[in-house]
């Protein structure tokens, strides 16, 4: 209406990182430390920015010591975090998927809406043997407290966890029989929450066999025991999930050749058939001249879940955790090209069309999330309890059968298609100083049909309006 105003969409922000490292005794002992700080200027006139942390600080100490010609190593890494902000910002942090402080069965923390700061800590202690002899091994323990928060300047997927692991590997380097080399590995791990509850246990056996013609075969056998998920109900109570068995294998031709083929396959089947997935991928790499390499890597996967989260609704003051049976199909093709025109000038291309479709049916409500009889964890809605309206694309639930809608949710079916590409020209115009010119293009589209049709979805993908970004980066090295 002819009026103008200024509005802050991103606050003035400082990012600071400091890393210090010193080695002793010819590098056998290395001691280091790191500090980061993020500070945002959020004024009272910008209340819509109060969901952001005003300050976020992290630090850590690391120690690495080796002996016997670096055959044995012990390392210790520690980290702490401290975030500050408005009550809204710290509440959002507590409720985020990294922390889930709102879990109703949590005994060692709870949501505090009046907090204006949050503190956390973590670390990793590891011992390993990495040389001399056919056997190598390592073991360690890592921990992250419930309040650890690194996502202002780093990345943390989940807090409130600790984990122990052990690895033993056996290598044969001298050719024998039909083999050129052999590599077998054994892994074992267990995890707990900070309340001391065991959440998962697992292990695997994997290896690689290299034949005398330089072809190779690799495999992985990964049995997974039943465990406890604190994220499956998206902030609700923890939920027991069944174990299963995952198998993976692949074969590759001689990587020294100008034309290289690789094929991989994997399969997972959960107990009680609550989860099944299969995937197949391949890779073709061609090097017509030493300075040019072209590769194409297609893959296809099918994922079937009887218990896939849909949404959380409310009924008579109580939460309803709604799940459905989902079949998801995904296809992608990755293209890469690397061409070194001269030792100082090169061009690279990366492109990937990605298509995924998921269809839901047999909607159900979680009624007993921690039973070990997994088919009694849920109650499936009857045809009289659930109704779908195609015009609004919405499911309506009449849970108590009184012909009145108790709650509803949108159709969760999805079609997601995306294209990502990068074209990079790199020129090292003087030693250590480089100029980059980049063209990046992205296309992203959505639909709610849920049907997988590669040809139609691929055509729809390239009907989406592209988002193009052009970048120039120049670095200059000072020889001081």
């Amino acid at each position: 209406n002819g009026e103008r105003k200024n509005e802050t969409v991103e606050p003035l922000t400082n990012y600071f990182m400091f890393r210090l490292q010193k080695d002793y005794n010819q590098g056998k002992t290395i001691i280091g430390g790191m500090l980061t700080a993020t500070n945002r200027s959020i004024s009272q006139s910008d209340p819509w920015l109060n969901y952001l942390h005003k300050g976020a600080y992290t630090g850590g100490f690391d120690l690495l010591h080796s002996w016997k010609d670096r055959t044995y190593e012990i390392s210790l890494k520690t980290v702490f975090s401290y975030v500050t902000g408005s009550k809204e910002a710290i509440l959002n942090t507590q409720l985020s998927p990294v922390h889930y402080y709102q879990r109703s069965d949590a005994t060692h923390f709870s949501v505090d809406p009046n907090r204006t700061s949050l503190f956390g800590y973590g670390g990793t202690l590891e011992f390993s043997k990495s040389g001399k002899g056919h056997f190598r091994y390592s073991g360690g323990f890592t921990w992250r407290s419930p309040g650890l928060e690194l996502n202002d300047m780093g990345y943390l997927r989940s807090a409130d966890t600790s984990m122990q692991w052990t690895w033993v590997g056996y290598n044969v380097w001298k050719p024998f029989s039909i083999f050129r080399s052999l590599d077998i590995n054994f892994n074992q791990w267990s995890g707990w929450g900070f309340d001391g509850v065991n959440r998962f246990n697992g292990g695997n056996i994997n290896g690689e066999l290299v034949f005398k013609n330089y072809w190779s075969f690799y495999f992985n056998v990964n049995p997974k025991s039943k465990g406890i998920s604190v994220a499956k109900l998206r902030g609700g109570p923890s939920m027991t999930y069944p174990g299963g068995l995952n198998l993976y294998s692949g074969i590759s031709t001689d990587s020294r050749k100008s034309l290289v083929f690789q094929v991989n396959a994997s399969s997972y089947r959960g107990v009680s058939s609550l989860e099944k997935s299969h995937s197949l991928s391949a890779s073709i790499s061609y090097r017509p001249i030493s300075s040019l390499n072209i590769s194409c890597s297609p893959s296809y996967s099918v994922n079937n879940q009887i218990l896939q989260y849909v949404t959380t609704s409310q009924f008579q003051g109580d939460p309803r955790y709604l799940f459905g049976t989902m079949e998801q199909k995904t296809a992608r093709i990755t293209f890469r090209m690397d061409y070194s025109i001269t030792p100082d000038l090169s061009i690279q291309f990366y492109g990937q069309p990605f298509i995924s479709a998921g269809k839901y049916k047999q909607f159900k409500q979680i009624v007993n999330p921690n039973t070990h009889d997994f088919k009694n964890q849920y109650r499936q809605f009857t045809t009289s309890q659930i109704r779908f309206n195609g015009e609004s694309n919405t499911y309506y639930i009449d849970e108590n059968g009184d012909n009145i809608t108790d709650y509803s949710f949108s159709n969760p079916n999805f079609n997601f298609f995306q294209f990502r590409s990068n074209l990079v020209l790199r020129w090292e115009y003087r030693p250590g100083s480089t100029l980059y010119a980049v063209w990046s293009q992205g296309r992203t589209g959505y639909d709610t049909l849920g049907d997988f049709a590669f040809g139609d979805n691929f055509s729809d993908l390239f009907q989406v309006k592209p988002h193009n970004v052009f970048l120039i980066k120049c670095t200059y090295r000072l020889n001081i």
Side-chain angles (χ1 to χ4, degrees):
N1 297 324
E3 297 180 2
R4 297 185 129 190
K5 65 177 181 179
N6 292 324
E7 191 169 285
T8 303
V9 295
E10 183 172 348
L12 182 66
T13 305
N14 166 77
Y15 296 98
F16 169 83
M17 188 277 288
F18 175 76
R19 170 67 165 156
L20 180 67
Q21 194 173 56
K22 173 67 175 176
D23 65 299
Y24 299 90
N25 193 18
Q26 297 179 337
K28 295 179 181 178
T29 302
I30 303 174
I31 299 176
M34 188 172 182
L35 292 171
T36 74
T38 303
N39 299 98
R40 297 182 176 91
S41 178
I42 302 176
S43 66
Q44 294 182 350
S45 60
D46 299 331
W48 52 86
L49 298 176
N50 280 333
Y51 71 95
L52 294 168
H53 295 145
K54 285 188 176 180
Y57 310 95
T58 70
F61 165 83
D62 57 279
L63 168 67
L64 175 66
H65 177 66
S66 63
W67 63 97
K68 288 194 174 181
D69 295 327
R70 293 183 172 84
T71 301
Y72 299 93
E73 288 185 349
I74 186 169
S75 68
L76 172 66
K77 301 174 184 176
T78 63
V79 63
F80 72 85
S81 68
Y82 180 72
V83 294
T84 64
S86 66
K87 293 180 180 179
E88 177 187 352
I90 302 304
L91 179 60
N92 286 340
T93 301
Q94 295 177 77
L95 300 180
S96 73
V98 177
H99 305 278
Y100 281 140
Y101 270 39
Q102 68 270 40
R103 284 170 36 215
S104 59
D105 60 346
T107 58
H108 52 303
F109 54 71
S110 60
V111 174
D112 183 354
N114 295 313
R115 296 189 70 156
T116 56
S117 65
L118 195 65
F119 174 79
Y121 60 91
T124 298
L125 177 64
E126 181 178 8
F127 169 77
S128 65
K129 175 182 180 289
S130 56
K132 288 189 177 179
H134 295 285
F135 280 101
R136 302 183 183 189
Y137 49 82
S138 71
F141 187 80
T142 187
W143 64 95
R144 302 177 194 138
S145 76
L148 184 64
E149 175 58 50
L150 307 176
N151 289 308
D152 287 271
M153 199 168 167
Y155 177 73
L156 179 66
R157 186 171 182 176
S158 62
D160 183 30
T161 184
S162 59
M163 177 179 172
Q164 161 273 328
W165 77 90
T166 304
W167 166 75
V168 178
Y170 181 77
N171 306 92
V172 178
W173 303 284
K174 291 184 178 181
F176 67 100
S177 183
I178 62 173
F179 302 107
R180 180 168 295 276
S181 64
L182 169 69
D183 186 4
I184 301 291
N185 301 284
F186 302 87
N187 293 277
Q188 171 274 328
W189 56 81
S190 296
W192 301 265
F194 262 58
D195 54 1
V197 175
N198 178 231
R199 292 183 185 168
F200 58 86
N201 300 285
N204 70 31
I205 301 174
N206 65 78
E208 181 179 20
L209 306 172
V210 180
F211 301 94
K212 287 186 175 179
N213 63 356
Y214 288 94
W215 284 45
S216 61
F217 170 76
Y218 37 91
F219 67 92
N220 180 37
V221 180
N222 175 208
K224 185 171 70 171
S225 68
K226 63 184 176 183
I228 297 174
S229 171
V230 296
K232 205 167 184 67
L233 298 185
R234 308 300 197 272
S238 60
M239 183 172 175
T240 303
Y241 60 84
L245 179 64
N246 183 60
L247 303 174
Y248 171 84
S249 65
I251 190 168
S252 176
T253 63
D254 186 352
S255 61
R256 304 171 305 163
K257 303 292 186 179
S258 59
L259 185 62
V260 181
F261 295 92
Q262 185 175 339
V263 178
N264 309 300
S266 68
S267 178
Y268 178 80
R269 186 179 183 89
V271 175
S272 302
S273 298
L274 290 180
E275 180 181 357
K276 293 184 292 183
S277 62
H278 310 280
S279 69
L280 181 65
S281 62
S283 177
I284 303 172
S285 178
Y286 180 52
R287 185 182 290 111
I289 54 177
S290 60
S291 59
L292 175 63
N293 187 57
I294 304 169
S295 66
C296 174
S297 303
S299 69
Y300 176 73
S301 64
V302 179
N303 178 27
N304 293 278
Q305 300 272 357
I306 290 181
L307 291 178
Q308 176 62 46
Y309 178 84
V310 175
T311 190
T312 300
S313 296
Q314 295 288 327
F315 179 57
Q316 297 180 347
D318 296 321
R320 293 292 188 264
Y321 303 104
L322 307 181
F323 281 60
T325 296
M326 181 198 69
E327 181 182 59
Q328 180 183 10
K329 298 178 180 180
T330 302
R332 65 171 68 89
I333 305 175
T334 302
F335 300 94
R336 294 181 185 274
M337 186 273 292
D338 296 278
Y339 181 35
S340 297
I341 303 171
T342 70
D344 301 323
L345 182 64
S346 65
I347 187 168
Q348 296 176 313
F349 173 78
Y350 165 87
Q352 184 191 78
F354 176 94
I355 297 169
S356 186
K359 198 157 197 172
Y360 288 76
K361 61 182 180 179
Q362 298 174 350
F363 294 98
K364 57 212 70 172
Q365 170 195 345
I366 300 299
V367 294
N368 193 359
N370 284 309
T371 181
H372 290 230
D373 183 3
F374 298 106
K375 292 190 177 180
N376 287 326
Q377 282 186 323
Y378 59 89
R379 183 187 301 123
Q380 188 170 315
F381 294 118
T382 65
T383 55
S384 62
Q385 289 179 306
I386 187 168
R387 175 175 59 87
F388 178 68
N389 187 313
E391 292 184 1
S392 61
N393 206 25
T394 302
Y395 285 92
Y396 297 92
I397 305 297
D398 175 16
E399 183 178 316
N400 55 11
D402 60 358
N403 295 320
I404 298 176
T405 298
D406 297 317
Y407 46 90
S408 63
F409 59 90
S410 298
N411 182 5
N413 289 352
F414 64 88
N415 291 76
F416 178 82
F417 31 93
Q418 188 175 75
F419 176 72
R420 290 284 182 264
S421 69
N422 291 296
L423 182 64
V424 181
L425 179 69
R426 178 185 180 274
W427 176 35
E428 189 173 358
Y429 57 92
R430 55 169 291 167
S433 301
T434 311
L435 175 69
Y436 296 88
V438 182
W439 172 32
S440 176
Q441 184 183 102
R443 301 169 186 256
T444 302
Y446 308 89
D447 207 339
T448 59
L449 295 176
D451 295 318
F452 182 88
F454 183 82
D456 292 340
N457 292 155
F458 191 81
S459 176
D460 292 340
L461 170 60
F462 286 93
Q463 297 299 317
V464 176
K465 183 178 180 180
H467 179 222
N468 294 292
V469 177
F470 297 91
L471 301 170
I472 294 178
K473 175 184 176 181
C474 183
T475 65
Y476 185 84
R477 181 172 179 172
L478 301 175
N479 296 318
I480 298 176

